[in-house]
């Protein structure tokens, strides 16, 4: 079982670059840490890989390490706090990593989200003078196999930052073979065809309405109706569309839910501290998706609750309940 923490081998005596400076060779240095291979988290850009290591922690239990930058091109800090979507992306990457390295799922098998829930401690998101060191303690539940192949799982997460509780999360996902995926997706499984039929991105709402600084990061377009927007699908976005796909990604759906909740509530909603999401079907690139928010009161902690629905062609694609402060 491989690890992403690399220890440099010792060098010959006459090639020691640190001789005379307190070191006898590279073997005396601390272990060198890098990110896990980008293929293991289904990313093209190395800069978008947040995971740094993983290890077994017991039967059906794992520990995955990650590092969050102090600033990110898309998941930028809000009011001095790390973006909660960084947590979601880290959970996403960890689930894909473990499906491959722990459960033997081939790299070309799609990993499909079904349900995701997270709840976080806002104060633990505070940005400091160094990158955030994250540790995910993950437990496997409800492993589903078809023959010897993993077909689905539910993962429970306890997320720590520097040893302090940051969040809990749960993710339910399915693994499909390429053949099954092609059969389920039909003509949409043709990546080139799906992208050739994609709609042009609609005009964005003003970035300030969705707590964004740049127009290019806005994923909602106005419709003229209160609490209703068109999903803005910009396949040129370097983070949400790190690589070509044949449908609207789950991270785009969750970002739309966050932006819609903010747009509907205004200053009353600044941080989604809790989000419970279900992914009902694929959002296609060749038809508009409609994002709607329904206020749902407040919970026992006084957090504002909002229900978000994304529909396409009259059918529900995605639902979420957000709780924010």
């Amino acid at each position: 079982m491989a690890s992403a923490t690399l220890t440099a081998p010792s060098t010959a005596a006459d090639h020691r670059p640190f001789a005379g400076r307190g070191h006898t060779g590279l073997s005396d240095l601390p272990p060198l840490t890098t990110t896990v291979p980008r293929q293991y988290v289904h990313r093209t850009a190395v800069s978008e890989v947040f995971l740094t290591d993983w290890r077994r922690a017991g039967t059906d239990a794992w520990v995955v390490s990650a590092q969050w930058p102090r600033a990110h091109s898309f998941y930028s800090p809000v009011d001095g706090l790390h973006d909660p979507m960084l947590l979601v992306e880290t959970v996403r990457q960890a689930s894909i990593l473990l499906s491959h390295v722990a459960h033997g799922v081939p790299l070309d098998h799609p990993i499909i989200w079904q349900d995701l829930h997270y709840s976080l401690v806002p104060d633990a998101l505070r940005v400091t003078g160094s990158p955030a060191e994250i540790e995910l303690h993950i437990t496997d539940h409800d492993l589903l196999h078809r023959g010897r192949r993993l077909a689905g799982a539910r993962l429970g997460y306890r997320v720590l930052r520097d040893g302090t509780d940051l969040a809990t999360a749960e993710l339910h996902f399915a693994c499909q073979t390429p053949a099954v995926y092609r059969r389920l997706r039909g003509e949409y499984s043709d990546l080139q065809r799906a992208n050739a039929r994609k709609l042009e991105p609609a005009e964005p709402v003003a970035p300030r309405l969705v707590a964004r600084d740049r127009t290019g990061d806005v994923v909602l377009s106005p419709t003229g109706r209160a609490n209703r927007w068109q999903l803005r699908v910009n396949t040129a976005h370097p983070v949400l569309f790190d690589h070509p796909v044949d449908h609207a990604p789950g991270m785009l759906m969750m970002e739309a839910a966050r932006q819609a909740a903010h747009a509907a509530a205004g200053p009353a909603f600044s941080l989604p501290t809790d989000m419970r999401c279900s992914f009902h079907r694929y959002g296609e690139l060749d038809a508009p998706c409609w994002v709607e928010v329904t206020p749902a009161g407040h919970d026992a902690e006084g957090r504002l609750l909002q229900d978000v629905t994304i529909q396409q062609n009259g059918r529900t694609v995605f639902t979420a309940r957000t709780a924010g402060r």
Side-chain angles (χ1 to χ4, degrees):
M1 189 171 292
S3 171
T5 300
L6 308 179
T7 303
S10 59
T11 57
D14 56 348
H15 293 287
R16 295 180 213 162
F18 298 97
R21 286 184 282 170
H23 299 286
T24 60
L26 288 176
S27 60
D28 293 331
L29 296 176
L32 305 179
T33 301
T34 184
T35 58
V36 304
R38 57 190 173 88
Q39 293 87 348
Y40 284 4
V41 296
H42 295 190
R43 279 298 183 191
T44 299
V46 174
S47 60
E48 296 304 321
V49 179
F50 301 131
L51 307 187
T52 57
D53 200 4
W54 66 279
R55 60 179 172 85
R56 183 183 288 275
T59 304
D60 297 328
W62 316 88
V63 176
V64 176
S65 301
Q67 187 184 80
W68 292 350
R70 288 180 291 170
H72 186 270
S73 62
F74 181 61
Y75 303 118
S76 54
V78 178
D79 296 330
L81 302 178
H82 284 289
D83 187 339
M85 291 300 112
L86 266 179
L87 169 68
V88 177
E89 174 61 18
T90 305
V91 165
R92 184 197 75 85
Q93 292 188 16
S95 68
I96 295 175
L97 172 73
L98 291 181
S99 73
H100 295 312
V101 302
H103 299 295
V105 175
L107 292 175
D108 63 346
H109 285 212
I111 308 296
I112 310 300
W113 282 2
Q114 296 177 320
D115 300 284
L116 187 150
H117 171 234
Y118 76 79
S119 182
L120 57 82
V121 180
D123 287 345
L125 291 175
R126 192 154 305 279
V127 178
T128 64
S130 59
E133 299 295 337
I134 306 298
E135 199 170 75
L136 300 95
H137 294 252
I138 305 171
T139 306
D140 294 334
H141 301 279
D142 303 334
L143 297 179
L144 174 65
H145 290 85
R146 290 193 174 92
R148 300 177 63 182
R149 178 180 65 83
L150 181 70
R154 179 170 57 88
L155 303 185
Y157 296 76
R158 181 188 176 202
V159 185
L160 306 178
R161 178 185 180 182
D162 298 323
T164 300
D165 282 315
L166 168 64
T168 58
E170 185 172 279
L171 173 62
H172 183 201
F173 65 90
C175 307
Q176 296 172 346
T177 67
V180 169
Y181 185 80
R182 287 192 297 270
R183 186 167 66 249
L184 291 175
R185 298 288 289 135
E187 62 180 350
Y188 288 106
S189 67
D190 186 324
L191 185 61
Q192 290 186 331
R193 183 174 182 179
N195 278 269
R197 295 162 52 176
K198 68 186 178 185
L199 302 180
E200 289 298 315
E203 288 298 314
V205 302
R208 61 179 177 79
L209 296 179
V210 293
R212 282 294 183 179
D213 296 325
R214 297 187 298 266
T215 298
D217 291 337
V218 175
V219 302
L220 301 179
S221 298
T223 64
R225 286 177 50 182
N227 293 352
R228 188 174 192 264
W229 302 267
Q230 182 178 344
L231 181 67
R232 186 169 187 267
V233 183
N234 177 14
T235 59
H237 194 282
V239 177
L240 291 173
F241 288 85
D242 166 79
H243 55 278
V245 292
D246 59 38
H247 60 275
M251 288 300 296
L252 172 60
M253 300 289 181
M254 294 195 68
E255 177 63 24
R258 185 260 289 276
Q259 291 192 18
H262 193 283
F269 184 95
S270 62
L271 188 76
T273 57
D274 189 288
M275 191 180 292
R276 188 178 297 273
C277 308
S278 293
F279 301 83
H280 302 278
R281 53 178 43 86
Y282 296 97
E284 308 299 355
L285 304 178
D286 62 355
C289 289
W290 307 102
V291 185
E292 296 195 45
V293 173
T294 303
H298 294 78
D299 65 9
E301 300 176 37
R303 299 179 302 182
L304 178 66
L305 301 177
Q306 299 184 88
D307 290 330
V308 182
T309 302
I310 300 180
Q311 293 190 323
Q312 185 178 61
N313 296 325
R315 300 190 299 176
T316 300
V317 172
F318 169 89
T319 54
R321 168 162 284 194
T322 66
R325 64 173 198 176

